[in-house]
Amino acid sequence: MSHHDSFLRRYVFSTDHKIIGIQYILTGLAMAVVGGALAALIRLQLGWPSQQWPALGRLLPAGMPGGVMTPEFYMSLVTMHGTIMVFFFISYVLVSGFGNYLVPLQVGARDMAFPLLNMLSYWIALLAALVIVGSFFVEGGAAAAGWTAYPPLSAIASAMPGSGAGQTLWLLSMALFIASFTMSGLNIVATVFSVRAPGMWMMRMPLTVWSYFISAIMGLLAFPPLTAAAIMLLFDRHFGTSFFLPSGLIVAGRVLEHQGGSPLLWQHLFWFLGHPEVYVLILPALGIALDIFPVFSRKPVFGYRVSVYSLIAVGVLSMVVWGHHMFVSGMSPFSGEYFTLSTMLITIPMTIIGVNMLGSLWGARITLATPMLFALGIIALFGVGGFGGLFLGNATADMQLHDTYFVVGHFHLMIGGVTLLATFAAIYYWFPKMFGRFMNERLGKVHFWLTFLPFFLIFFMQHFLGLQGAPRRYYAFTTYEYLRETLVQNVAISHTAFLLIAGQVLFAVNFVWSLIAGRAASANPWQATTLEWETSSPPPHGNFVQVPIVHRWAYEYAAEGASEDYTPQTVPASRVAVTP
Amino acid sequence: MSIAVAADHDVARRWHVRDVGLWMFLGTIAMLFAAFTSALIVRRSTGDWADVHLPLILWVNTAVLVISSATLERGRRLGVTDRRRAVPWVAATCVLGSLFFAGQIEAWRELSRLGFYLPTTPAASFFYVLTGVHVVHLVAALVCVGVLLGRTVSSRASREWPYAAGAVSTFWHFLTGVWIYLLAVLQAA
């Protein structure tokens, strides 16, 4: 690409990783609005079941006839909220978006290894997003079998309204998403392996790059089994095969012809992807936090090597723990024991990463700028959410807690909260690099408190709902005597959820306002050490005027003999001694 | 001279990157078929499994595919020194690959003539799905071989030919290996 390219070539059909990264981020944020709107509808129903909302009835006549939500629509909302938030918001913004933007810059490359493939990956991702949103408008509405798409519900087109065209489009969208995510992952791995700047040894790479690298490898290995499962599910749905459908199923009074299939087979294949996917999302969040801490505490990251080894250990172990999602599926107690042990094992490297985060802050002069606040919030949610994971990873406790709101609370704190805070931390931190302007600090800080506190309260409270035995996915708790007393908590959760959503309006205003009129940022406004800050803000096409030469690791803060309290990676040892 | 050496180095580096991408891609294909295989093993244990007699033409197809791998490899080696000598071998690979494709379709027809359709038995379902997914990949590889043939017959000089031939043949040999593995799995099932 050159500076003489047309607007379309430069900013729409671009092969520049930075533009593609921003395209992913904007698409993901737009999808977050959709996912957030679905969450608001879910909370309306759970806080005030069977309440009439005439205005919504006019807006959504099929899902809320007369203004009252139907159970089928509620199932669609839950399914699509999960699907959109996991695959089309967090994956797009945090993994593909910032992965694309940051990895080449931080390793000192001019672009991704395969720029054309990168562009293709974005356009397929956009198509996947359009298909999933479009599925709301087909006959029967969007898919309603949960974001995990368990058969038989997902495999029988006549099971419920969303099981028809909506579920088929869900599968099509997932196929497109996987194709796009695979292309993106191939690019990240090849870029890290082969296009690093001179001197950028693997053990000099920032932890953000490490986390994207490991998460990309995990994605490449874990997604194909879901592809295989999706192909088989499509055949079960449309061509009469019985991979997942057992004998004797009766739908609408008619016995289905399918024979001998195993619904559990889907669960195994889904969770073989599903669990690594959690780490595919959460590792970049941890990498970003570990990179932001040194900048605002003005001291090197604590335990760099151990963090790298822990990230690798998490990557490896995450591939062999999927069965802890299936303790109640009737699996052998010996298998349950194995999955409990392997899950407990993965807490070791995760805890080490957590301790290294705390160690990075120990004795530091901390500046509570907005990115740092969000990064600190990650520690809180990671700690509390991770603690809940200890109960769910243990077969004995999980038998009681499975499919309750304890699980919903846990995974929202981890895969929802940690990644959401990391997304905001990343946006506030790299916004000056991406657009050459700062976001407003005061609005940013208010946004942090209106995000962190409500988010924590909502999902912390849901743990207690789970302990009271409230099952997830129920349309109306008031139907059951033993759950009626939870209504007060649900109303409180719903109010807090609306506060959380309102807080995001501040972010939207800040984002747009700062794009237009934010304070101008220099090349290295945070006085950071990594390579992306060694080029202009925003960086030019090709990223660097000259390919940088790396002389040191990414966390040279408060080095002896340096005139400043930070030493960029490009400063040679002759000027400032390299930390061994 | 030094400029030429630098250019060669750039070409080698670019293709090294592509090799990394290629092997990661092949890794995803391996995981795809590993998932299908484990699904087959689980499904086989559910009690209603009935074996399906594999069509004999599969053995002919296998021989054709193995020979096609050999021709491509021969072409790749000859082409390193003189690209024109690779033309008949790469062309033969195209023909043999197309024959394999046609042979797989004939295998499906034969099975359906025997009354085994996609949903008839779980074994038949797996046969159609596994062979179908393999053929989809093979068609993609065949397109790559076709592009390579175009580059091979082209009169334009290309320092990249050996690398391109290496990447295409790696993909092709990999799919031959996957096919032999699938045949063994289907035979054992």
Side-chain angles (χ1 to χ4, degrees), chain A residues 70-144:
Chain A
T70 64
E72 294 83 2
F73 186 56
Y74 178 79
M75 287 304 290
S76 277
L77 291 177
V78 175
T79 301
M80 297 301 280
H81 168 72
T83 304
I84 287 175
M85 288 307 203
V86 170
F87 295 109
F88 297 94
F89 167 44
I90 299 294
S91 297
Y92 279 13
V93 178
L94 193 65
V95 184
S96 301
F98 278 102
N100 249 304
Y101 195 88
L102 294 176
V103 169
L105 276 169
Q106 290 200 330
V107 300
R110 292 207 176 278
D111 205 325
M112 281 283 195
F114 310 115
L116 198 62
L117 192 70
N118 208 16
M119 181 179 78
L120 193 62
S121 131
Y122 170 72
W123 287 101
I124 293 175
L126 181 66
L127 186 61
L130 292 175
V131 169
I132 203 80
V133 172
S135 73
F136 277 106
F137 304 100
V138 296
E139 191 181 351

Side-chain angles (χ1 to χ4, degrees), chain B residues 5-63:
Chain B
V5 169
D8 280 345
H9 175 76
D10 285 346
V11 169
R13 181 179 160 83
R14 201 163 60 241
W15 278 93
H16 167 70
V17 175
R18 289 182 195 183
D19 274 349
V20 172
L22 175 67
W23 278 105
M24 290 307 297
F25 177 59
L26 298 185
T28 65
I29 298 177
M31 286 301 291
L32 181 73
F33 284 103
F36 276 123
T37 310
S38 54
L40 184 148
I41 292 166
V42 171
R43 184 65 182 82
R44 193 170 183 268
S45 65
T46 53
D48 64 336
W49 191 267
D51 290 344
V52 61
H53 188 70
L54 295 182
L56 285 176
I57 194 171
L58 289 182
W59 300 102
V60 180
N61 293 349
T62 306

Side-chain angles (χ1 to χ4, degrees), chain A residues 226-267:
Chain A
L226 184 65
T227 313
I231 290 169
M232 289 189 281
L233 190 60
L234 273 173
F235 277 85
D236 272 7
R237 286 173 59 78
H238 299 293
F239 302 107
T241 56
S242 303
F243 293 113
F244 304 122
L245 285 170
S247 312
L249 280 175
I250 300 171
V251 174
R254 192 171 61 86
V255 180
L256 299 185
E257 288 180 4
H258 299 275
Q259 296 235 330
S262 166
L264 285 184
L265 175 57
W266 169 271
Q267 295 192 23

Side-chain angles (χ1 to χ4, degrees), chain A residues 260-315:
Chain A
S262 166
L264 285 184
L265 175 57
W266 169 271
Q267 295 192 23
H268 279 291
L269 291 170
F270 181 87
W271 286 116
F272 186 82
L273 152 87
H275 199 77
E277 166 70 0
V278 173
Y279 293 99
V280 165
L281 303 182
I282 217 166
L283 289 191
L286 301 179
I288 284 169
L290 283 163
D291 265 8
I292 287 178
F293 290 144
V295 179
F296 296 97
S297 59
R298 310 313 291 170
K299 67 189 271 283
V301 76
F302 180 78
Y304 172 81
R305 275 179 185 272
V306 179
S307 288
V308 170
Y309 299 143
S310 297
L311 288 170
I312 294 170
V314 170

Side-chain angles (χ1 to χ4, degrees), chain A residues 510-527:
Chain A
N510 194 354
F511 191 92
V512 175
W513 182 84
S514 303
L515 271 180
I516 301 162
R519 186 162 54 90
S522 62
N524 189 1
W526 306 115
Q527 300 192 322

